[in-house]
Each structure stands twice: as structure tokens, then as C-alpha cells.
Amino acid sequence: MTHALPTAPTPLQGLRVLDLATLFAGPLAATLLGDFGAEVIKVEHPRRPDPSRGHGPAKNGVGLWWKLLGRNKRAITLDLSAPGGRDTLLRLAATADVVIENFRPGTLERWGLGWPELSAVAPGLVLTRVTGFGQFGPYSHRPGFGTLAEAMSGFAAVTGEPDGPPTLPPFGLADSIAALATSYAVLTALAARAATGRGQVVDMAIIEPILTVLGPQPLWYDQLGHVQERTGNRSLNNAPRNTYRTADGHWVAVSTSAQSVAERVMRLVGRPELTEEPWFATGTGRAGHADELDTAVGGWIARRTRAEALAAFEKAEAAIAPIHDIRDVMDDPQYRALDTITEVADPELGTIRMQNVLFRLSETPGAIRWAGRPHGQDTEEVLTELGLSGTEIAALRDQGAL
């Protein structure tokens, strides 16, 4: 489906965000703000572009990851460590509402771009600092990436088969969770500014948001000494809950978090007598008999094609889903109906498809106005709008600041 630009005002229209960050939490947070109307100016080093431009597959020399991460951003170059670059950044900050950065703690201060300098030119600014370990503490000066957060948070420890190694996700899970949290933090700080008139510093440590989404593990340990272990695709809280292979070689996932759904599944697969067992009445009781339940459900599914299993579960109002790879996602009728994967016109690559904005608003919807732009494409335009003359811009180029 071709992506239609909204005609109504966007909810973040008038908000100006300077994205100084790279790889991946900070930039994605800026993308999420840009999707709902914020003007995002991506600031990259003149000679060292955002590494996401070179991450993963490319087409005709154009990095595809950047097309997603750089969407709805104007792209300029600026060497913040150069005197001219520093001064220009301060002029930009004076026009901005939000700055997002992910340099190691102390880097901006070394360049004369710390909170005292930025807040002096923009008292209402929200300076958003996204780092692996936060701005203080014994690890704060270590290089930090999402993989380290996935390891340290306990995520890897509970992911994988019981007799296998801890498992890391094959994508930027912790970074993406931190990006969602960062965009929420920015909007929270802006709401506070609306009440107080003052800006503030957001300190986002990538190791923290993923710990939040892992659930009550700290509470369990604190109160019971309980340490969650790896259970593969099973759950300690309910059963049957697993992946099962169909007769035609596909995989499906079944969940029975609700008691009524668990009962429907067992009736469907021809084992209604199990629902009368005393242990079946609770999720943890069922989890203790996962072998028996998996044998019943898995055996039934193994004798049917994926289409047959899905149709039977739907008729029985039991929870099942096919396990998709990206080819299936692109063709799934529910995703098509939601326009989850939408078409975007791009000057470099023509029509491209990518994830749509994160959610739908009935009155003030977001939009993808453009995909990631070439390195530095908007530098002269943005600086001219800032009031710099052609001579000043040329001088900055001569200095290597642009």
C-alpha cells in the first residue's frame, strides 16, 4: 500500500530535535519523534558518517538500514570537535527543543558542549544522553552496546534451551527497547517543561529499559530467592506454550495464558479429560505437566497442515499463530490491512517498503515523509536558515568543520 501523507497537523509539529547520536538507540528515538512531526536534524561527522549507513546489505551502494533509521531527518555535517563546528552547534541548539547524543560521558564537556553551555543558549532544552551504562557509576566510561545490555540484564541467561548456552538476539533488541524508552523520556521532560518553563537532562542507560521488560525477576529473587532459568519455548507460568511443527513442515506457536483458552485447546486436540485434572486449574500447575500437554498438542498439530491447524484453532477460539519469516510478514493479510509495511518513494532507490510509524492516531496521525537522505544533503539549507551567509558556510568548509 502506498503511504499517504496526513493532511492534519502532526502532534509534534514545531518540535525541533538535533540528533547527534549513532548506533542505534539514540537515532531510533529521534526517528520515532520525527515520525509524528518533529523536525529532526541529523548531525553527522563530515568524514565519518553514521555507521548505520554501512551496516547490513546495501543496494547500488546505498545502505538500506540507513533508509529506515534516517527517515524524516534532515542530514547535515558538522565536526563538533572543531571550533567552528562547536560554535555552529551552539547556534543550532539555541533554536532546538531536544538534543539527543550518545557520546561517552565527558566527551561533550571536553568539546565545550556540556549542559552548562547548552542550557545557557537554550534554557528550555532537553539534553538526552543515551549511553550503555549511564552518566555515572563504575562502568560509565566503558564503551556500551545493546549486546552488553542483553547479557547484563538477565535476558540472555533466560533465553535458549535448558541444556544449551545463553542466547543473544540476532537484532538490536536492547537498543530498540531503549529507543522506545528514550522517546517516552523526552516527551515526559517536555511535558515537565510545559509546566515549569525549564529544560533538563535525560540520562538513559541502555542496560536499564530491557531489565524493566523482563518482568518481576528482581522481585522474585528479592522475596523468594528464585532465579529464573532457561526453559526454551516453554513458560514457567502456563502450558501448553511452545512451537510445534505441522505435517507440511511449517511451524506454529501456541499460547494458553488464559485458563479458558487452555481448556479449548485440550478439547480441540481430543484430550478433554486433562482439563479435569486438579493441576490443570492453574497456569503453574499446567507448566508442571508440560511434557504431557506438549505431546497431546504437538501430536495433533503434526498430523495436520499449517492451514488446517490454523483454521481449526481459529474455529475453536484458541490462540495460535504461524511462525513467519520476513517473506511471510510481507504477505500476511493482517499486516497488509494495517499497512504495517508501507511504501515510501525514495529519490535514490525508487519505491521502497519499510515498517510504518509505530502506532495509529485517529486525529493527528504520523507519517513517513521521506526515507534516509544522503550524507550532508541538507547542510547548506539548514545553515542558511540559521542565518549563516554563503561566505561563513564556505569558511566552515575550508576549516573542515562541515
Side-chain angles (χ1 to χ4, degrees):
M1 185 184 298
T2 302
H3 186 82
L5 295 178
T7 55
T10 49
L12 301 183
Q13 188 171 319
L15 188 73
R16 174 172 267 203
V17 178
L18 304 185
D19 175 10
L20 315 184
T22 59
L23 292 179
F24 284 100
L28 180 55
T31 302
L32 297 174
L33 298 172
D35 284 350
F36 284 89
E39 179 197 5
V40 181
I41 299 174
K42 176 69 178 182
V43 180
E44 299 175 79
H45 193 281
R47 293 163 293 281
R48 296 189 297 277
D50 189 308
S52 67
R53 292 182 180 272
H55 264 57
K59 181 179 180 181
N60 300 331
V62 178
L64 298 178
W65 203 329
W66 170 251
K67 286 296 176 185
L68 175 67
L69 194 62
R71 73 187 191 191
N72 293 334
K73 299 179 183 181
R74 302 169 78 188
I76 74 169
T77 61
L78 206 58
D79 183 350
L80 304 184
S81 65
R86 172 195 178 273
D87 294 343
T88 304
L89 192 281
L90 285 174
R91 291 182 65 169
L92 271 172
T95 71
D97 301 282
V98 180
V99 170
I100 300 177
E101 63 96 3
N102 70 338
F103 300 105
R104 288 198 211 180
T107 301
L108 282 186
E109 286 76 9
R110 190 169 68 249
W111 294 337
L113 291 170
W115 178 240
E117 292 85 358
L118 290 170
S119 61
V121 299
L125 186 71
V126 174
L127 173 59
T128 308
R129 319 195 76 165
V130 186
T131 56
F133 303 105
Q135 294 296 308
F136 57 91
Y139 302 164
S140 61
H141 283 80
R142 293 182 182 179
F145 298 99
T147 298
L148 307 188
E150 290 146 11
M152 286 183 59
S153 64
F155 171 85
V158 299
T159 305
E161 294 299 323
D163 56 351
T167 302
L168 296 168
F171 63 98
L173 177 64
D175 279 310
S176 298
I177 295 171
L180 292 166
T182 299
S183 61
Y184 166 53
V186 167
L187 295 178
T188 302
L190 290 171
R193 186 183 72 175
T196 67
R198 298 190 304 275
Q200 60 183 300
V201 178
V202 172
D203 179 4
M204 177 62 65
I206 297 172
I207 60 172
E208 292 184 302
I210 188 172
L211 186 56
T212 296
V213 304
L214 281 170
Q217 287 190 49
L219 185 58
W220 288 342
Y221 180 74
D222 175 63
Q223 294 297 302
L224 301 173
H226 174 76
V227 178
Q228 184 172 334
E229 298 179 349
R230 291 188 290 284
T231 58
N233 291 320
R234 287 180 171 177
S235 170
L236 296 174
N237 305 310
N238 66 81
R241 191 263 197 184
N242 214 326
T243 60
Y244 308 94
R245 193 168 189 174
T246 64
D248 52 350
H250 295 287
W251 290 88
V252 296
V254 171
S255 176
T256 58
S257 296
Q259 181 70 22
S260 59
V261 173
E263 293 170 0
R264 289 176 203 149
V265 169
M266 301 322 297
R267 288 195 292 268
L268 173 64
V269 303
R271 297 296 304 277
E273 75 280 2
L274 293 178
T275 66
E276 303 301 324
E277 295 287 348
W279 51 261
F280 197 89
T282 65
T284 52
R286 297 196 307 274
H289 291 78
D291 286 343
E292 185 175 3
L293 296 173
D294 272 347
T295 298
V297 175
W300 185 92
I301 289 175
R303 298 190 296 273
R304 288 159 176 82
T305 66
R306 179 172 67 177
E308 290 169 342
L310 293 175
F313 266 72
E314 182 174 359
K315 184 177 180 181
E317 298 184 354
I320 192 172
I323 293 180
H324 282 343
D325 64 19
I326 191 59
R327 294 168 294 188
D328 302 314
V329 170
M330 300 293 265
D331 291 331
D332 186 280
Q334 182 62 33
Y335 282 132
R336 285 184 177 274
L338 295 174
D339 196 27
T340 305
I341 307 295
T342 197
E343 293 184 346
V344 180
D346 182 70
E348 292 183 286
L349 298 176
T351 299
I352 59 179
R353 290 188 290 172
M354 66 174 65
Q355 298 96 318
N356 209 336
V357 299
L358 195 59
F359 48 85
R360 286 164 291 281
L361 296 179
S362 62
E363 299 299 322
T364 55
I368 304 171
R369 301 185 296 281
W370 60 81
R373 289 176 166 173
H375 183 229
Q377 175 177 315
D378 303 292
T379 302
E380 291 202 17
E381 181 179 73
V382 169
L383 297 187
T384 299
E385 292 171 0
L386 193 61
L388 274 71
S389 67
T391 301
E392 290 174 304
I393 294 172
L396 288 171
R397 287 199 184 281
D398 290 343
Q399 297 169 20
L402 300 183

